[in-house]
Amino acid sequence: MALSKGKKVLIAIVGAVVTIGAVIGTVFAVKKIKENVEMTDRPGITTPVNPGQNEGQKPGQNEGQKPGQDEGQKPGGGDEGQQGGGDEGQDPGQDDEEQGEEEPETPEFSEAEYYEKNLDLLKSALKEEYEKDNPGETFNLDDSSEILINEAAGEIYCLANTIGKYGDVRGIRFYVASFDNNILNKSQEEIYSYLNSTEKNYDLSFISQTRLKPNLSEDVYNEFSKYLCNQDYESNGEIINFSEDAQVLDISRYIADYDAYGNRYIQYFIIDNGKVYTARLENAMPPGYDDWSIEQIMGYSNNVFKITAVKDFAEFGVDGAEQGGGEAEEGGYVLDLSEVPISKAESASLAFDIWSLNPEKDMDLIFPANDSGLEM
């Protein structure tokens, strides 16, 4: 059927409108795409979809995989079949070369090494304890001077220079430091643990005396020491005599005491046969400190000699029984200390300690050739 002219014009108009609409839609689509591209180029703006990422997938994640997990790996795991943070077949935090191995313990010291360390710790303890008991005072133990340690009684005999809280120098005095709980009769390792512990398990008390020796010549002092060892001493109604190997540690100047004969006495310590004696000379005349006065005292007939305390003595060491060698004899043995660098008094003490381990056997002692006694 032929279209009329009016209908042909209407169809042409509708086609034109459709064509114009399509062109406008295309223009708006191109503009929208351009705006999206421009938005992704702006700083601080995140691209809505990462390149190469499927819809609904997080960045760096393969399809069907949880975040941070490689393909076929459990969550939190490293390589395939490996537990988190470790190599294959290894527990977390374990090195390759030390799997199943414990850290080596700190090597122990030998008894001799502990002994040397304990000597230094004991010197430090002397200073610390004295200054704690005497606030403001300074206790200077001369490193070059010897200290004599009696492990049997828990006492230390030493010389030290003390300075008062107001700076007054008191000079070198003789000190006896006593442990309230004797830790010196333990093993060297145990002593080290006591002295090196942060918790102090010991306490020291001090007595001191002013020394006579600086006022005398060496000859007169030595003569006076021998004189004191050769006397008869009264102790609780008994008389005590010392052997020819007895050793005087130190002699004091006069000490005032109204209970003593003459209201004063001279005090000293004598080591003999495994004992340490606190001794005193009373009623000594004349009361002087020089060579002439001491020579007069040694000739005075009314001197009074007393023992006020007796304690066991064993010099501090690694193992006294190992310091001397004995040759066995039938029914007994000989302890030869002729080449050992100790004093005769120390050798006598050592011999007594060794003999007491087996008192059924007789022991003959060969004293040191050179008497290297403690020089106070």
Side-chain angles (χ1 to χ4, degrees), residues 97 200 257 291 310 313 342-343 363:
E97 299 179 357
K200 190 173 70 64
D257 185 355
D291 284 358
V310 182
F313 178 83
I342 60 177
S343 69
M363 181 180 69

Side-chain angles (χ1 to χ4, degrees), residues 138-202:
T138 303
F139 186 88
N140 293 322
L141 185 67
D142 188 357
D143 292 336
S144 62
S145 66
E146 291 186 60
I147 62 174
L148 184 61
I149 304 173
N150 180 6
E151 67 176 35
E155 292 183 340
I156 303 176
Y157 316 107
C158 64
L159 303 177
N161 184 9
T162 54
I163 302 175
K165 63 176 64 177
Y166 301 110
D168 51 310
V169 179
R170 298 175 180 174
I172 297 177
R173 297 170 65 89
F174 176 79
Y175 287 88
V176 180
S178 303
F179 282 94
D180 61 339
N181 178 24
N182 186 10
I183 65 173
L184 299 179
N185 56 6
K186 303 181 183 298
S187 70
Q188 294 294 334
E189 183 176 358
E190 289 176 310
I191 296 171
Y192 179 81
S193 297
Y194 272 100
L195 297 174
N196 205 38
S197 174
T198 54
E199 297 182 3
K200 190 173 70 64
N201 298 310
Y202 61 87

Side-chain angles (χ1 to χ4, degrees), residues 16-70:
V17 171
V18 171
T19 301
I20 293 171
V23 171
I24 293 173
T26 302
V27 171
F28 276 102
V30 172
K31 183 178 180 182
K32 185 65 175 178
I33 292 173
K34 184 178 179 181
E35 288 177 352
N36 288 339
V37 172
E38 289 177 352
M39 288 290 290
T40 60
D41 292 339
R42 295 180 184 177
I45 303 298
T46 305
T47 304
V49 179
N50 289 338
Q53 178 181 348
N54 296 330
E55 184 176 359
Q57 177 186 353
K58 295 184 179 180
Q61 176 183 356
N62 296 328
E63 184 175 358
Q65 178 189 356
K66 295 183 178 180
Q69 175 186 355
D70 295 336

